[in-house]
Amino acid sequence: MVLEAISKNFFLFLSNNRLLDRLAKKWGPKFGADKIVGGVTFEEAVPLIQQLNHQGLQVTVDHLGEFVNSAKEARNRSQECMNTIRTISENGLNSEVSLKLTSLGLDINEDVVMENMEQILETAEKHDVIVTIDMEDSSRCERTLEIYKRLKTKYYNLGTVIQSYLYRSDSDLDELNECNPYLRLVKGAYKESGKVAFPDKSMVDDNLKHLIKKNLLNGHYTAIASHDDKIIDFTKKLAEEENISKDRFEFQMLYGMRNQTQLELAKEGYTVRVYLPYGDDWYGYFMRRMAERPANIAFAIKGVFSK
């Protein structure tokens, strides 16, 4: 348990190293990035999405990048997202889009991020594509949820994320209840203070189970984003006991991880969505995946030395 905590803190520390980030953009494929990232451009990711769809898997794509500091770059990110939505539609892909508000101007001002989000959601509704706002660290949680609630009054095709390691998540679920939310429930992957987050993994797991049950029994579509067999089995058992049909929830997993489990769940009739990031700004994402699960470290090492 101690070693796991040290490992997590180490990789979260690395995730914020700017020098390593710059080196990673240059040498990414040699460190296994090509095994968890769909490509540098969305066009490179399209064949992968088609392959995943052919296997019975659905997808959500994310253009990697966060913490944008200029309105111009935020607009460029917004344009990239809209182009991705159009490409999804043109190619008949079974894919949604995920995005981070910091990539669209959250840290600049609210007008910038709202303008970009409204343009994206107008495009998404035109092409019948669902957009999910990813959750970031706790300092941005309140603003993210407030923006989500404002946009949800106007746009139906919008989801967001709740992280079970935060104390506030149960009350957040209550506040979102009236929005008829489409929620992705996750454990969480940022380094947080014990003042805002559960310090113990078992508490995080228990809270995730609580949130899954609560949101499903509230009647809202729920995406369970976890590679944890115990969480998956809990959800399946809950659905059976409460007579919750399989079209009311889905399992989500990362591209390149637990591939066989993804296929097995799909064959059992469950909706399985693969989170497929693309872009060259992959480093922070990769390090947070290492922090989440010790098993991911072995996966990455294997990627370095495999052909």
Side-chain angles (χ1 to χ4, degrees):
M1 208 63 162
V2 174
L3 287 175
E4 184 175 327
I6 293 172
S7 172
K8 179 176 181 178
N9 289 333
F10 175 68
F11 282 104
L12 289 176
F13 169 77
L14 290 180
S15 72
N16 294 313
N17 189 295
R18 299 302 179 186
L19 174 60
L20 291 177
D21 183 37
R22 290 195 297 271
L23 292 173
K25 289 179 180 179
K26 183 176 181 180
W27 300 104
K30 290 187 178 296
F31 291 92
D34 59 332
K35 292 180 172 58
I36 64 168
V37 175
V40 174
T41 67
F42 184 63
E43 286 69 24
E44 292 177 4
V46 168
L48 282 175
I49 298 172
Q50 292 171 329
Q51 179 181 348
L52 291 166
N53 288 167
H54 182 71
Q55 293 174 320
L57 304 172
Q58 300 182 26
V59 175
T60 186
V61 296
D62 176 18
H63 184 216
L64 291 171
E66 48 199 294
F67 311 127
V68 167
N69 295 311
S70 76
K72 180 180 179 181
E73 187 177 357
R75 283 193 295 272
N76 289 340
R77 290 276 181 174
S78 176
Q79 288 296 327
E80 169 67 27
C81 191
M82 288 186 282
N83 289 337
T84 295
I85 290 168
R86 295 185 190 102
T87 303
I88 287 171
S89 178
E90 290 166 2
N91 288 274
L93 304 176
N94 191 336
S95 179
E96 299 178 358
V97 170
S98 295
L99 52 80
K100 289 181 172 60
L101 292 186
T102 53
S103 73
L104 301 173
L106 182 65
D107 292 346
I108 302 171
N109 65 61
E110 192 169 305
D111 290 340
V112 171
V113 71
M114 287 297 291
E115 179 182 351
N116 287 330
M117 278 301 301
E118 288 183 346
Q119 290 178 352
I120 289 168
L121 290 171
E122 292 285 351
T123 303
E125 285 203 348
K126 179 180 177 181
H127 295 284
D128 197 26
V129 173
I130 292 176
V131 175
T132 295
I133 299 173
D134 282 343
M135 190 55 70
E136 301 178 70
D137 61 33
S138 62
S139 68
R140 296 174 174 87
C141 183
E142 184 72 23
R143 285 180 292 160
T144 298
L145 293 180
E146 285 302 316
I147 288 171
Y148 172 75
K149 285 186 282 189
R150 284 177 59 188
L151 291 169
K152 195 67 167 61
T153 63
K154 186 177 179 181
Y155 302 98
Y156 72 90
N157 59 332
L158 181 63
T160 193
V161 177
I162 295 293
Q163 302 171 114
S164 72
Y165 70 169
L166 296 180
Y167 299 137
R168 60 174 292 161
S169 293
D170 185 50
S171 60
D172 284 337
L173 218 61
D174 290 335
E175 288 191 20
L176 291 171
N177 189 43
E178 63 184 26
C179 299
N180 188 26
Y182 165 28
L183 295 178
R184 176 193 302 150
L185 303 180
V186 304
K187 293 182 183 181
Y190 291 86
K191 184 174 177 59
E192 301 286 1
S193 162
K195 294 179 180 179
V196 300
F198 292 106
D200 187 80
K201 180 182 180 298
S202 65
M203 294 178 180
V204 176
D205 292 350
D206 288 343
N207 197 38
L208 180 57
K209 292 176 181 177
H210 167 72
L211 296 175
I212 291 168
K213 182 174 183 177
K214 186 171 187 175
N215 203 53
L216 283 173
L217 294 183
N218 282 343
H220 305 310
Y221 191 85
T222 306
I224 297 94
S226 177
H227 300 119
D228 189 333
D229 285 327
K230 292 180 181 179
I231 298 298
I232 294 168
D233 290 341
F234 167 83
T235 304
K236 292 164 74 171
K237 184 177 180 181
L238 173 68
E240 184 177 347
E241 291 176 348
E242 299 292 340
N243 198 28
I244 299 169
S245 64
K246 291 178 180 178
D247 63 358
R248 298 303 303 152
F249 65 95
E250 65 184 50
F251 294 108
Q252 294 190 1
M253 297 186 187
L254 302 173
Y255 170 67
M257 298 190 183
R258 304 220 62 187
N259 298 342
Q260 191 57 40
T261 299
Q262 294 173 17
L263 295 173
E264 289 172 358
L265 286 169
K267 288 178 180 177
E268 291 174 18
Y270 295 100
T271 299
V272 180
R273 189 173 307 279
V274 179
Y275 189 96
L276 178 67
Y278 72 96
D280 64 356
D281 198 5
W282 62 272
Y283 174 76
Y285 167 82
F286 190 45
M287 289 298 108
R288 287 194 293 272
R289 299 297 79 76
M290 296 303 100
E292 282 178 330
R293 294 179 73 234
N296 292 348
I297 300 171
F299 170 86
I301 293 172
K302 181 180 178 181
V304 173
F305 296 103
S306 63
K307 294 183 179 179

